[in-house]
Amino acid sequence: MERQFPGGKRLRLVLGDITRIPADAIVNAANSHLCGGGGVDGAIHRAGGPSLMRELDQIRARSGGCPTGGAVATSAGNLPARFVFHAVGPVYRDGGRREADLLAACHRTCLQMAEERDLRVVTFPAISTGVYGYPVAQAAPIALAAARAHLEREDTRVREIVFVLFDQCTFDAFARAL
Ligand code: APR
């Protein structure tokens, strides 16, 4: 499923495994300690290999981690990409703790990092909707709005933003929001 934007830019939804889909940058759903985990984080580290964690160890040593709403970049190891952007989404509690702002912010941060590196294709998982408990029906429109706003910018060099959704339920929620 996809939406077209002026200039041939595209927003796409794909059902699948984000570690298998070529991109310039693959976004990871990480935690603020940058210490790895399960879910998509585990899958990205397994497929990417140990160089990702070595680079994160260096970033952690320098800066102590990454705040919620932010992201840090590493190379992509064995993944079919140039970079992994390790984004930190919010833990969902009750919706009254700036979760929506923070979820939008981590998408915007990654897209800005793509611009700084002159990248064309960025893939995102459904950040925060697994272990972090964000209801996917609420997360999907926030993630898509951030992507859409970026593709509508005239000065963007990003051509394609792809949400790679791991299960049918998540895919359907994004499809409805799109
Ligand atoms: N490709 C795409 N999506 C995937 C994959 C994969 N290979 N594996 C899991 N997912 C999906 C999940 O099904 C869910 O829809 O990614 C979405 C995000 O779920 P989580 O990985 O649990 O991420 P999040 O909710 O942001 O929680 C982050 O979990 O793994 C830890 O270190 C991570 O502490 C952090 C927390």
Side-chain angles (χ1 to χ4, degrees):
M1 186 168 194
E2 73 173 57
R3 285 283 176 278
Q4 301 266 358
F5 291 81
K9 293 176 279 187
R10 299 196 300 169
L11 174 52
R12 289 206 298 137
L13 307 184
V14 172
L15 179 64
D17 177 348
I18 200 167
T19 66
R20 310 295 290 268
I21 295 178
D24 293 312
I26 295 174
V27 176
N28 183 18
N31 55 68
S32 56
H33 305 294
L34 305 173
C35 60
V40 70
D41 199 1
I44 282 175
H45 280 279
R46 274 194 303 280
S51 65
L52 275 64
M53 192 51 81
R54 278 199 297 272
E55 289 181 48
L56 289 175
D57 288 342
Q58 289 170 1
I59 293 169
R60 203 179 313 107
R62 274 202 309 272
S63 60
C66 178
T68 303
V72 301
T74 66
S75 57
N78 303 321
L79 287 161
R82 291 170 58 199
F83 299 98
V84 176
F85 295 161
H86 303 264
V88 183
V91 177
Y92 187 87
R93 296 224 162 74
D94 54 12
R97 295 163 199 249
R98 298 185 52 240
E99 289 97 328
D101 289 348
L102 292 164
L103 186 63
C106 72
H107 288 82
R108 284 197 302 268
T109 301
C110 290
L111 292 167
Q112 188 52 40
M113 287 165 63
E115 295 299 342
E116 287 160 8
R117 291 164 181 77
D118 201 23
L119 306 183
R120 302 287 176 272
V121 179
V122 183
T123 55
F124 283 89
I127 296 173
S128 285
T129 67
V131 173
Y132 279 1
Y134 213 119
V136 66
Q138 292 174 44
I142 295 167
L144 289 168
R148 186 188 296 250
H150 196 85
L151 290 173
E152 282 170 350
R153 276 172 48 174
E154 278 183 11
D155 61 345
T156 179
R157 305 260 293 164
V158 172
R159 299 284 94 191
E160 194 169 310
I161 300 174
V162 186
F163 286 88
V164 184
L165 307 160
F166 201 49
D167 57 74
Q168 190 68 50
C169 197
T170 304
F171 181 90
D172 290 346
F174 272 73
R176 274 193 294 275
L178 189 65

Short mmCIF file of all heavy atoms in Angstrom, two decimals, residues 16-20 28-32 35-44 46 87-90 124-134 136 164-167 170, ligand 1:
data_model
loop_
_atom_site.label_atom_id
_atom_site.label_comp_id
_atom_site.label_asym_id
_atom_site.label_seq_id
_atom_site.Cartn_x
_atom_site.Cartn_y
_atom_site.Cartn_z
N GLY A 16 6.17 -7.26 6.82
CA GLY A 16 7.39 -8.06 6.72
C GLY A 16 8.39 -7.78 7.82
O GLY A 16 8.07 -7.16 8.84
N ASP A 17 9.60 -8.25 7.56
CA ASP A 17 10.72 -8.20 8.51
C ASP A 17 11.65 -7.08 8.05
O ASP A 17 12.22 -7.14 6.96
CB ASP A 17 11.41 -9.57 8.48
CG ASP A 17 12.63 -9.63 9.38
OD1 ASP A 17 13.11 -8.58 9.85
OD2 ASP A 17 13.13 -10.75 9.58
N ILE A 18 11.83 -6.09 8.89
CA ILE A 18 12.60 -4.89 8.51
C ILE A 18 14.07 -5.21 8.21
O ILE A 18 14.73 -4.47 7.48
CB ILE A 18 12.46 -3.79 9.60
CG1 ILE A 18 12.79 -2.41 9.03
CG2 ILE A 18 13.31 -4.11 10.82
CD1 ILE A 18 12.37 -1.26 9.93
N THR A 19 14.57 -6.32 8.74
CA THR A 19 15.98 -6.66 8.52
C THR A 19 16.22 -7.20 7.10
O THR A 19 17.36 -7.37 6.70
CB THR A 19 16.48 -7.72 9.52
OG1 THR A 19 15.79 -8.96 9.30
CG2 THR A 19 16.28 -7.27 10.95
N ARG A 20 15.14 -7.47 6.36
CA ARG A 20 15.28 -8.08 5.04
C ARG A 20 15.07 -7.08 3.90
O ARG A 20 15.21 -7.46 2.74
CB ARG A 20 14.24 -9.21 4.88
CG ARG A 20 14.23 -10.19 6.03
CD ARG A 20 15.54 -10.95 6.13
NE ARG A 20 15.67 -11.87 5.02
CZ ARG A 20 15.27 -13.15 5.04
NH1 ARG A 20 14.74 -13.65 6.14
NH2 ARG A 20 15.42 -13.92 4.00
N ASN A 28 15.64 1.55 14.11
CA ASN A 28 15.45 0.55 15.15
C ASN A 28 14.60 1.16 16.27
O ASN A 28 14.67 2.36 16.53
CB ASN A 28 16.83 0.14 15.70
CG ASN A 28 16.76 -0.95 16.74
OD1 ASN A 28 15.75 -1.66 16.85
ND2 ASN A 28 17.83 -1.11 17.49
N ALA A 29 13.81 0.31 16.94
CA ALA A 29 13.08 0.74 18.15
C ALA A 29 13.92 0.34 19.35
O ALA A 29 13.82 -0.77 19.85
CB ALA A 29 11.69 0.08 18.19
N ALA A 30 14.76 1.27 19.78
CA ALA A 30 15.76 0.98 20.81
C ALA A 30 15.29 1.50 22.17
O ALA A 30 14.14 1.94 22.32
CB ALA A 30 17.08 1.64 20.43
N ASN A 31 16.16 1.43 23.16
CA ASN A 31 15.86 2.01 24.49
C ASN A 31 16.94 3.04 24.81
O ASN A 31 17.99 3.08 24.16
CB ASN A 31 15.77 0.93 25.56
CG ASN A 31 17.02 0.08 25.61
OD1 ASN A 31 18.08 0.56 26.00
ND2 ASN A 31 16.92 -1.18 25.20
N SER A 32 16.70 3.85 25.82
CA SER A 32 17.59 4.99 26.06
C SER A 32 18.98 4.56 26.55
O SER A 32 19.92 5.34 26.46
CB SER A 32 16.96 5.98 27.04
OG SER A 32 16.64 5.32 28.22
N CYS A 35 21.21 -0.51 24.87
CA CYS A 35 21.85 -1.77 25.28
C CYS A 35 21.24 -2.99 24.61
O CYS A 35 21.52 -4.12 25.00
CB CYS A 35 21.79 -1.91 26.79
SG CYS A 35 20.10 -1.95 27.40
N GLY A 36 20.42 -2.80 23.59
CA GLY A 36 19.81 -3.94 22.91
C GLY A 36 18.61 -4.43 23.68
O GLY A 36 18.29 -3.96 24.77
N GLY A 37 17.90 -5.38 23.08
CA GLY A 37 16.69 -5.90 23.71
C GLY A 37 16.08 -6.99 22.86
O GLY A 37 16.77 -7.62 22.07
N GLY A 38 14.77 -7.17 23.00
CA GLY A 38 14.07 -8.17 22.20
C GLY A 38 13.44 -7.51 20.99
O GLY A 38 13.96 -6.52 20.49
N GLY A 39 12.31 -8.02 20.54
CA GLY A 39 11.54 -7.39 19.47
C GLY A 39 12.39 -7.05 18.26
O GLY A 39 13.31 -7.78 17.88
N VAL A 40 12.09 -5.89 17.69
CA VAL A 40 12.81 -5.49 16.47
C VAL A 40 14.27 -5.16 16.80
O VAL A 40 15.17 -5.37 15.96
CB VAL A 40 12.06 -4.35 15.76
CG1 VAL A 40 12.13 -3.05 16.52
CG2 VAL A 40 12.54 -4.18 14.34
N ASP A 41 14.52 -4.69 18.01
CA ASP A 41 15.90 -4.37 18.44
C ASP A 41 16.76 -5.65 18.39
O ASP A 41 17.87 -5.66 17.82
CB ASP A 41 15.83 -3.80 19.86
CG ASP A 41 17.05 -3.02 20.29
OD1 ASP A 41 17.98 -2.88 19.47
OD2 ASP A 41 17.08 -2.56 21.44
N GLY A 42 16.23 -6.73 18.96
CA GLY A 42 16.95 -8.00 18.93
C GLY A 42 17.18 -8.48 17.51
O GLY A 42 18.28 -8.92 17.16
N ALA A 43 16.15 -8.36 16.68
CA ALA A 43 16.26 -8.83 15.29
C ALA A 43 17.32 -8.03 14.53
O ALA A 43 18.12 -8.59 13.76
CB ALA A 43 14.89 -8.72 14.60
N ILE A 44 17.35 -6.71 14.76
CA ILE A 44 18.32 -5.86 14.05
C ILE A 44 19.75 -6.18 14.50
O ILE A 44 20.66 -6.28 13.67
CB ILE A 44 17.94 -4.37 14.23
CG1 ILE A 44 16.77 -4.05 13.29
CG2 ILE A 44 19.13 -3.44 13.99
CD1 ILE A 44 16.18 -2.67 13.42
N ARG A 46 20.82 -9.05 15.78
CA ARG A 46 21.18 -10.40 15.29
C ARG A 46 21.57 -10.34 13.82
O ARG A 46 22.58 -10.92 13.41
CB ARG A 46 19.99 -11.36 15.45
CG ARG A 46 19.92 -12.02 16.82
CD ARG A 46 18.95 -13.20 16.82
NE ARG A 46 17.61 -12.86 16.39
CZ ARG A 46 16.68 -12.27 17.17
NH1 ARG A 46 16.98 -11.98 18.43
NH2 ARG A 46 15.49 -11.98 16.71
N ALA A 87 16.33 4.63 17.39
CA ALA A 87 15.40 5.64 17.90
C ALA A 87 14.79 5.17 19.22
O ALA A 87 14.54 3.98 19.40
CB ALA A 87 14.28 5.87 16.88
N VAL A 88 14.57 6.12 20.11
CA VAL A 88 14.00 5.78 21.41
C VAL A 88 12.59 6.35 21.49
O VAL A 88 12.40 7.56 21.65
CB VAL A 88 14.87 6.32 22.56
CG1 VAL A 88 14.30 5.88 23.90
CG2 VAL A 88 16.31 5.83 22.41
N GLY A 89 11.61 5.46 21.36
CA GLY A 89 10.21 5.86 21.49
C GLY A 89 9.82 5.90 22.96
O GLY A 89 10.53 5.39 23.83
N PRO A 90 8.65 6.50 23.23
CA PRO A 90 8.18 6.58 24.62
C PRO A 90 7.59 5.25 25.08
O PRO A 90 7.00 4.52 24.30
CB PRO A 90 7.08 7.64 24.54
CG PRO A 90 6.54 7.49 23.14
CD PRO A 90 7.72 7.14 22.28
N PHE A 124 11.03 2.27 8.70
CA PHE A 124 10.67 2.36 10.12
C PHE A 124 9.87 1.13 10.55
O PHE A 124 8.97 0.70 9.81
CB PHE A 124 9.71 3.55 10.37
CG PHE A 124 10.34 4.91 10.40
CD1 PHE A 124 10.48 5.64 9.22
CD2 PHE A 124 10.76 5.47 11.59
CE1 PHE A 124 11.03 6.91 9.25
CE2 PHE A 124 11.31 6.75 11.63
CZ PHE A 124 11.45 7.47 10.45
N PRO A 125 10.10 0.63 11.76
CA PRO A 125 9.14 -0.31 12.35
C PRO A 125 8.06 0.50 13.06
O PRO A 125 8.11 1.74 13.06
CB PRO A 125 10.01 -1.06 13.38
CG PRO A 125 10.94 0.01 13.87
CD PRO A 125 11.20 0.94 12.70
N ALA A 126 7.11 -0.20 13.67
CA ALA A 126 6.05 0.49 14.44
C ALA A 126 6.59 0.76 15.84
O ALA A 126 6.32 0.02 16.80
CB ALA A 126 4.80 -0.38 14.48
N ILE A 127 7.35 1.86 15.94
CA ILE A 127 8.06 2.21 17.19
C ILE A 127 7.07 2.32 18.36
O ILE A 127 5.98 2.89 18.21
CB ILE A 127 8.81 3.54 17.00
CG1 ILE A 127 9.90 3.39 15.93
CG2 ILE A 127 9.43 4.02 18.32
CD1 ILE A 127 10.58 4.70 15.55
N SER A 128 7.48 1.78 19.49
CA SER A 128 6.75 1.85 20.78
C SER A 128 5.53 0.93 20.87
O SER A 128 4.93 0.86 21.95
CB SER A 128 6.32 3.28 21.14
OG SER A 128 7.43 4.03 21.59
N THR A 129 5.15 0.26 19.79
CA THR A 129 3.87 -0.48 19.83
C THR A 129 4.01 -1.92 20.33
O THR A 129 3.02 -2.65 20.39
CB THR A 129 3.19 -0.52 18.45
OG1 THR A 129 3.99 -1.32 17.55
CG2 THR A 129 3.02 0.87 17.88
N GLY A 130 5.23 -2.34 20.68
CA GLY A 130 5.44 -3.69 21.20
C GLY A 130 5.61 -3.64 22.71
O GLY A 130 4.67 -3.32 23.45
N VAL A 131 6.84 -3.90 23.15
CA VAL A 131 7.16 -3.90 24.59
C VAL A 131 6.74 -2.58 25.25
O VAL A 131 6.29 -2.57 26.40
CB VAL A 131 8.68 -4.12 24.78
CG1 VAL A 131 9.09 -3.96 26.23
CG2 VAL A 131 9.08 -5.49 24.26
N TYR A 132 6.85 -1.47 24.54
CA TYR A 132 6.56 -0.16 25.14
C TYR A 132 5.06 0.17 25.21
O TYR A 132 4.68 1.21 25.75
CB TYR A 132 7.32 0.95 24.41
CG TYR A 132 8.78 1.06 24.85
CD1 TYR A 132 9.31 0.21 25.83
CD2 TYR A 132 9.62 2.03 24.31
CE1 TYR A 132 10.64 0.32 26.23
CE2 TYR A 132 10.95 2.15 24.72
CZ TYR A 132 11.44 1.29 25.68
OH TYR A 132 12.76 1.40 26.08
N GLY A 133 4.22 -0.71 24.66
CA GLY A 133 2.79 -0.69 24.97
C GLY A 133 1.93 0.41 24.34
O GLY A 133 0.80 0.63 24.78
N TYR A 134 2.45 1.10 23.33
CA TYR A 134 1.66 2.17 22.71
C TYR A 134 0.54 1.51 21.88
O TYR A 134 0.84 0.72 21.00
CB TYR A 134 2.54 3.01 21.79
CG TYR A 134 2.14 4.47 21.73
CD1 TYR A 134 3.01 5.46 22.13
CD2 TYR A 134 0.88 4.84 21.27
CE1 TYR A 134 2.65 6.81 22.08
CE2 TYR A 134 0.51 6.18 21.22
CZ TYR A 134 1.39 7.15 21.63
OH TYR A 134 1.02 8.46 21.58
N VAL A 136 -1.54 0.56 19.01
CA VAL A 136 -1.13 0.80 17.62
C VAL A 136 -2.12 1.68 16.88
O VAL A 136 -1.72 2.47 16.01
CB VAL A 136 -0.85 -0.54 16.88
CG1 VAL A 136 -2.10 -1.37 16.73
CG2 VAL A 136 -0.18 -0.29 15.54
N VAL A 164 7.68 -0.83 7.83
CA VAL A 164 7.73 -2.28 7.68
C VAL A 164 7.09 -2.89 8.92
O VAL A 164 7.65 -2.78 10.03
CB VAL A 164 9.17 -2.78 7.50
CG1 VAL A 164 9.17 -4.28 7.24
CG2 VAL A 164 9.85 -2.04 6.34
N LEU A 165 5.93 -3.48 8.73
CA LEU A 165 5.07 -3.88 9.84
C LEU A 165 5.06 -5.40 9.93
O LEU A 165 4.92 -6.09 8.92
CB LEU A 165 3.68 -3.27 9.62
CG LEU A 165 3.86 -1.75 9.38
CD1 LEU A 165 2.67 -1.14 8.69
CD2 LEU A 165 4.22 -1.04 10.67
N PHE A 166 5.26 -5.88 11.14
CA PHE A 166 5.66 -7.27 11.32
C PHE A 166 4.48 -8.22 11.36
O PHE A 166 4.63 -9.40 11.13
CB PHE A 166 6.45 -7.37 12.63
CG PHE A 166 7.34 -8.55 12.74
CD1 PHE A 166 8.20 -8.89 11.71
CD2 PHE A 166 7.33 -9.34 13.87
CE1 PHE A 166 9.05 -9.99 11.81
CE2 PHE A 166 8.17 -10.43 13.99
CZ PHE A 166 9.02 -10.76 12.96
N ASP A 167 3.29 -7.73 11.69
CA ASP A 167 2.14 -8.62 11.76
C ASP A 167 0.93 -7.93 11.12
O ASP A 167 0.90 -6.71 10.98
CB ASP A 167 1.85 -9.04 13.22
CG ASP A 167 1.61 -7.82 14.09
OD1 ASP A 167 0.54 -7.21 13.98
OD2 ASP A 167 2.53 -7.46 14.86
N THR A 170 -0.90 -5.01 12.98
CA THR A 170 -0.19 -3.72 12.94
C THR A 170 -0.30 -3.12 11.54
O THR A 170 -0.56 -1.92 11.38
CB THR A 170 1.29 -3.94 13.33
OG1 THR A 170 1.32 -4.57 14.61
CG2 THR A 170 2.05 -2.64 13.39
N1 APR B 1 10.68 -6.25 11.61
C1 APR B 1 9.72 -5.30 11.77
N2 APR B 1 9.03 -5.14 12.91
C2 APR B 1 9.31 -5.99 13.93
C3 APR B 1 10.30 -6.99 13.86
C4 APR B 1 10.99 -7.11 12.63
N3 APR B 1 11.94 -8.02 12.45
N4 APR B 1 10.32 -7.65 15.05
C5 APR B 1 9.38 -7.08 15.83
N5 APR B 1 8.77 -6.09 15.17
C6 APR B 1 7.67 -5.21 15.58
C7 APR B 1 6.81 -5.62 16.74
O1 APR B 1 5.88 -6.63 16.33
C8 APR B 1 6.11 -4.31 17.07
O2 APR B 1 5.01 -4.11 16.17
O3 APR B 1 8.18 -3.95 15.99
C9 APR B 1 7.17 -3.24 16.72
C10 APR B 1 7.83 -2.59 17.93
O4 APR B 1 7.93 -3.50 18.99
P1 APR B 1 9.22 -3.62 19.93
O5 APR B 1 10.35 -4.22 19.17
O6 APR B 1 8.78 -4.31 21.18
O7 APR B 1 9.62 -2.07 20.22
P2 APR B 1 9.06 -1.01 21.30
O8 APR B 1 7.63 -1.23 21.65
O9 APR B 1 9.47 0.32 20.76
O10 APR B 1 9.87 -1.33 22.62
C11 APR B 1 11.23 -0.99 22.68
O11 APR B 1 11.87 -3.17 23.42
O12 APR B 1 13.35 -4.62 22.43
C12 APR B 1 13.19 -3.64 23.38
O13 APR B 1 15.37 -2.63 23.43
C13 APR B 1 14.02 -2.41 23.08
O14 APR B 1 13.70 -1.65 25.30
C14 APR B 1 13.33 -1.43 23.95
C15 APR B 1 11.88 -1.80 23.77
#
